Amino acid sequence: MNQLRFHKYKWSQSRAHLAGLVFASAFSLLCAPLAGMGSGHAAAQKSTSTPSAALVGVISRDRDDSPEDGAHMDAVVLVEHGKLRQPYKEYDGAAMDKFANKYLVAGMDYRVTFGGGEVGNATMKGFESGCNNIHATATLKDNGKIPPHLSALATNSESLGQRPSLRRAPTDAERAAITLLVAQIYRSRGATRALLRTVVTTNLTATDLNGDGKFELIGSYTAETRTKARRDLLLIAEPDGAGFKPTLINYQSYKLPPEGFDSAINFVDQLDLDGDGIAEVFVLQHGFDAYGYSIYKKRGGHWRVVYTVTGDAC
């Protein structure tokens, strides 16, 4: 899941619209007051200035002929003074350079978390430009904790991700229970038996979001007809008796464009950003020759998007 498409094109002033997402070019979103954040490792002294905010990025292994520990990182969010804010302004070369010289300098060390806890580290090697974004290159050391096809989070904070890593593949019983729930959700939205037979599990992960020892299930699903009618589902479900009950249902119904770009939303990972004991959920959404990230927070028993940023758009 979540194979990031890192574009290596030169800087472009053109922009495609994201299908299913509206990304602001610059914004600041309020979040709950955040616990004390670290400022990065000593290697940061190589940069032109010391980072003043905690950066959280999505890190993913290279899937080409790069070394086994080669990876790319997207800067997703800066946490500063109780706010989640965009790392830099899009289409602003000076702002991007300033950010990179502060946070992505070669030799900087980032803690890598998976399932809410630390599993290794990433050392920055440099950065490259995308269409309207920059992507760091890094050496990833995860102690074999991150499956090759999955992404994780990386941060310069010393305080985030201090609890144990709690993420695993679902058991057979969990998978069977969630399959029944997914079928009910699709049927309740008019899915026929024929459409149900096309449902594909993009990813299904068991992870403990609140540290209570009970694992929630987070799954992404797609269904598609012969006429390219698409039905996507992002689901978060918590244990309920012998089964599970949904706490987030993000269901999309649309027709694929001729170019084939979909708007599916996939789980990336989880991390407690504000220290309230309930992890925020990071997701990646596909778009029209683009992708972006959103962060969900549980408020009043419901998961809501509290932050959105472009990953890259060409």
Side-chain angles (χ1 to χ4, degrees):
M1 93 170 206
N2 293 344
Q3 181 170 340
L4 301 186
R5 298 183 297 133
F6 291 100
H7 302 281
K8 299 185 179 180
Y9 309 122
K10 293 183 178 179
W11 187 261
S12 170
Q13 292 300 321
S14 63
R15 182 179 185 180
H17 293 288
L18 295 180
L21 272 183
V22 177
F23 294 124
S25 61
F27 59 90
S28 178
L29 291 173
L30 294 177
C31 188
L34 298 170
M37 299 293 180
S39 60
H41 295 273
Q45 294 176 359
K46 297 181 181 180
S47 65
T48 58
S49 58
T50 302
S52 59
L55 174 66
V56 180
V58 171
I59 190 163
S60 181
R61 281 189 180 86
D62 294 331
R63 292 170 175 86
D64 49 23
D65 295 328
S66 301
E68 184 177 348
D69 58 1
H72 278 83
M73 186 181 81
D74 275 349
V76 174
V77 62
L78 284 174
V79 183
E80 186 175 28
H81 303 309
K83 296 180 180 180
L84 304 182
R85 65 178 178 86
Q86 188 170 337
Y88 47 82
K89 185 178 180 180
E90 296 177 16
Y91 301 109
D92 188 330
M96 292 170 69
D97 287 342
K98 182 178 179 181
F99 171 84
N101 287 328
K102 183 180 287 189
Y103 289 94
L104 305 180
V105 175
M108 277 185 163
D109 253 358
Y110 277 69
R111 297 169 55 244
V112 174
T113 66
F114 186 71
E118 186 172 353
V119 296
N121 73 286
T123 302
M124 297 296 105
K125 296 195 297 185
F127 62 92
E128 58 191 21
S129 295
C131 292
N132 68 316
N133 211 328
I134 52 177
H135 312 288
T137 56
T139 299
L140 173 62
K141 302 293 185 182
D142 67 346
N143 303 303
K145 298 294 182 62
I146 306 171
H149 61 290
L150 297 181
S151 299
L153 301 177
T155 181
N156 64 346
S157 167
E158 294 292 349
S159 60
L160 295 176
Q162 289 297 330
R163 65 189 190 187
S165 174
L166 299 170
R167 182 172 175 178
R168 58 170 173 76
T171 65
D172 290 343
E174 289 170 338
R175 192 178 296 275
I178 209 70
T179 297
L180 291 176
L181 178 58
V182 168
Q184 292 172 6
I185 293 171
Y186 271 91
R187 281 198 297 267
S188 70
R189 285 156 176 79
T192 63
R193 290 184 179 179
L195 182 62
L196 284 174
R197 287 194 292 268
T198 72
V199 174
V200 174
T201 304
T202 306
N203 180 260
L204 181 60
T205 293
T207 186
D208 187 354
L209 295 173
N210 57 10
D212 65 354
K214 299 177 182 180
F215 280 68
E216 287 80 14
L217 293 182
I218 305 179
S220 299
Y221 303 86
T222 65
E224 187 177 319
T225 69
R226 293 181 180 179
T227 60
K228 303 299 181 181
R230 178 95 170 201
R231 306 291 185 268
D232 296 333
L233 172 65
L234 171 68
L235 174 67
I236 301 178
E238 61 184 35
D240 181 39
F244 288 85
K245 66 178 181 181
T247 53
L248 171 70
I249 297 175
N250 189 328
Y251 184 88
Q252 301 181 84
S253 177
Y254 59 97
K255 188 167 184 176
L256 285 174
E259 296 83 359
F261 294 113
D262 65 77
S263 299
I265 304 174
N266 295 329
F267 174 59
V268 176
D269 202 20
Q270 54 108 329
L271 189 65
D272 185 0
L273 296 177
D274 58 9
D276 68 351
I278 303 176
E280 280 68 52
V281 171
F282 288 67
V283 300
L284 177 149
Q285 180 159 4
H286 303 170
F288 194 95
D289 197 19
Y291 64 91
Y293 298 101
S294 292
I295 298 175
Y296 283 83
K297 179 176 178 59
K298 195 173 187 181
R299 288 175 171 169
H302 300 284
W303 290 96
R304 305 181 188 279
V305 174
V306 294
Y307 177 85
T308 301
V309 68
T310 305
D312 216 341
C314 294

